[in-house]
Amino acid sequence: MAGDQVTLLDFWSSPFGMRVRIALAEKAVKYEYSEQDLWNKGALYFQLNPVHKKIPVLVHDGKPICESLIIVQYIDEVWKDKAPLLPSDPYDRAQSRFWADFVDKK
């Protein structure tokens, strides 16, 4: 699947989009960046994320994936041949998830 068409709909200052951009960079996934105007959302934006109508949205081969944590998990699963985003040890993974959750809530 690596090498497929990847587009990220995002806004430059979004911390949720930053999370996705970091995951894409860690996996060295090439993607097209599509800056979104959050005050004048277009039809494509609503078509790709009709439930929450929020950024970021990752479009992989024409299929949209929404919500930043879900997108990061998707990136890790699709490009699994590249550096994993979480440690292999279950305890270490739990600790990583704890701190990610802490940052989200603070």
Side-chain angles (χ1 to χ4, degrees):
M1 283 192 162
D4 297 343
Q5 173 115 15
V6 179
T7 303
L8 178 62
L9 283 73
D10 196 7
F11 184 69
W12 70 272
S13 65
S14 167
F16 305 105
M18 179 61 70
R19 172 187 290 156
V20 174
R21 292 192 303 271
I22 289 169
L24 289 166
E26 286 294 318
K27 294 284 192 170
V29 175
K30 293 183 181 181
Y31 65 97
E32 178 183 331
Y33 179 81
S34 177
E35 181 80 13
Q36 299 298 300
D37 182 345
L38 301 181
W39 294 270
N40 295 307
K41 298 175 182 176
L44 176 64
Y45 185 81
F46 290 116
Q47 176 187 347
L48 295 175
N49 192 355
V51 176
H52 296 294
K53 300 174 182 73
K54 297 188 294 187
I55 53 143
V57 177
L58 183 80
V59 183
H60 181 215
D61 270 351
K63 298 178 219 167
I65 299 96
C66 304
E67 295 298 315
S68 63
L69 285 175
I70 295 169
I71 295 169
V72 169
Q73 291 169 350
Y74 179 84
I75 291 167
D76 203 26
E77 292 170 2
V78 170
W79 290 278
K80 61 184 163 210
D81 58 321
K82 299 183 180 182
L85 298 176
L86 290 173
S88 59
D89 179 73
Y91 178 79
D92 291 340
R93 265 196 319 272
Q95 292 301 304
S96 294
R97 288 181 177 129
F98 170 83
W99 287 112
D101 182 64
F102 178 82
V103 169
D104 278 349
K105 292 177 179 169
K106 299 294 178 192

